[in-house]
Amino acid sequence: MGDSTLMERPRIDDRTSVLVLTGAGVSAESGIPTFRGAGGLWESHSFTDLASPEGFDADPALVWRFYSSRREGAKGCRPNPGHLALVELERRLGDRFLLATQNVDGLHRDAGSERLVEIHGNLFTSRCSSCSRPPFEDRASHLHGAPPCERCGARLRPHIVWFGEMLDPSHLERIHRFLTEAARRGPLVFLAAGTSGAVYPAAGLVDEARQLGACTWLVNADPADNGHRFEHFTQGRTGEVLPDLLGP
Ligand code: OAD
C-alpha cells in the first residue's frame, strides 16, 4: 500500500476508464451520519431491528420512524466538494466513467452525477413489500406505522437493501460489464472513497478490479477493513482530498 504523506495522483489520461465506489464518508461533510465508527448510526441503533426484513416484520412502525427521521435529516443536506469532484471527472471521461454508490441519500444525483448506480437503494423511494408495483418517489415521513400500498393494501417499505437481502442483479451486472469492457479498452482505475470496506459485495469490488489489471486507490478518513487490498491509500476527508486527487 502506498504512503499518504506525498499526494500521489492516479494517472487519468484520454484512454483511462475509472470506476468509483463511494460510501457514507463522502456524505459526512454534507452532514449525513456514517454507519460505523464514533457517532456512526450502528453504534447507537441496532441494524437487525432497523435494517433487516426480520426487523421490519417485527416492528414496521419502528423501522419507518427510523427511515423517516433519516429522510428529514437528509432533506436539508447539500453535496460537498467531494461529490462535485466526481461530477467534474465524469464530465471529462463521459462513458469511460461509472460511479457505484452505497449511499442512499441522493446527493450524488443532486450534485449532477449521471452515470450512477445506487447499489443500496434510495432513501426517498418506497416500494410495496408484497406486490410488483414499481418503486416510486416518496419524500414523506411515516411516523404512525407502515402506509398501505395503493394497489394491494400490503405494507410499503423503504427501497433500501437491508442486511440479508440481495443487491439488484442488474446493478451488479452493469458494474461487471463496465469493468470488463473498460479493461479491454485501456488503462483502468478503481477508486473507493469514504467507505469502511466492511460490507459485501461492495467491499469485494477492489479484488475484481485488480484481477482485471486496475490500478486501485482508496481515499478514507481511517484505514478501511479491506485497505490492504489497495495499492494506494490517501488518508483524509474526501471533500478535501478528491478535488486535488482528481483535478486536471
Ligand atoms: P461506514 O459508516 O461503514 O464507513 C464510512 C467510512 O468513511 C469510515 O471508514 C470513516 O472512517 C470514513 N469517513 C468518515 N468521514 C469521512 C470523510 N469526511 N472523508 C473520508 N472518509 C470519511 O459506511 P459505508 O462503508 O458506506 O448499508 O457502509 C456500507 C454500508 O453499511 C452502508 O451502505 C449501509 C451500512 O449498513 C445499508 O444501509 C444497506
Side-chain angles (χ1 to χ4, degrees):
M1 197 165 22
D3 195 326
S4 62
T5 42
L6 294 172
M7 174 65 111
E8 301 173 282
R9 287 157 52 103
R11 188 185 152 88
I12 301 175
D13 62 23
D14 56 11
R15 292 182 57 241
T16 310
S17 301
V18 180
L19 174 68
V20 179
L21 170 71
T22 59
V26 168
S27 292
E29 288 155 85
S30 295
I32 311 249
T34 61
F35 295 95
R36 296 173 184 78
L41 280 175
W42 298 150
E43 206 177 54
S44 49
H45 298 73
S46 150
F47 63 76
T48 29
D49 291 348
L50 299 172
S52 76
E54 296 75 23
F56 186 64
D57 285 345
D59 195 343
L62 175 73
V63 171
W64 265 116
R65 279 199 301 277
F66 173 66
Y67 283 97
S68 298
S69 85
R70 285 183 58 198
R71 280 183 181 178
E72 290 311 312
K75 273 180 191 167
C77 295
R78 296 287 165 264
N80 66 58
H83 296 102
L84 298 176
L86 295 173
V87 176
E88 281 306 307
L89 183 63
E90 179 179 354
R91 289 204 178 123
R92 262 173 67 203
L93 300 186
D95 288 336
R96 288 183 288 117
F97 176 92
L98 184 66
L99 172 54
T101 187
Q102 299 167 89
N103 298 344
V104 297
D105 52 44
L107 289 179
H108 284 301
R109 201 172 291 285
D110 292 348
S113 290
E114 290 172 0
R115 292 162 181 88
L116 173 68
V117 201
E118 291 178 312
I119 61 174
H120 287 172
N122 183 284
L123 189 55
F124 297 106
T125 304
S126 297
R127 71 168 191 264
C128 181
S129 58
S130 174
C131 79
S132 59
R133 177 185 176 191
F136 58 94
E137 183 175 346
D138 179 10
R139 303 182 72 81
S141 281
H142 303 293
L143 300 174
H144 306 293
C149 171
E150 279 173 21
R151 192 185 282 179
C152 74
R155 290 181 191 126
L156 292 183
R157 57 163 281 178
H159 186 49
I160 302 272
V161 179
W162 283 331
F163 287 94
E165 295 185 319
M166 304 285 284
L167 270 58
D168 181 337
S170 72
H171 288 169
L172 289 177
E173 175 53 34
R174 185 172 169 198
I175 295 167
H176 298 322
R177 202 172 345 112
F178 176 86
L179 279 175
T180 16
E181 286 172 7
R184 219 177 287 137
R185 232 179 359 229
L188 177 60
V189 170
F190 174 72
L191 166 69
T195 176
S196 59
V199 173
Y200 287 78
L205 282 177
V206 59
D207 302 315
E208 184 179 348
R210 278 186 82 149
Q211 278 162 18
L212 289 164
C215 191
T216 53
W217 291 73
L218 171 67
V219 177
N220 209 49
D222 303 295
D225 289 8
N226 64 349
H228 59 284
R229 283 149 42 199
F230 289 80
E231 289 164 87
H232 304 271
F233 173 44
T234 303
Q235 187 159 14
R237 290 152 65 99
T238 46
E240 293 161 8
V241 174
L242 290 182
D244 279 349
L245 197 78
L246 301 175

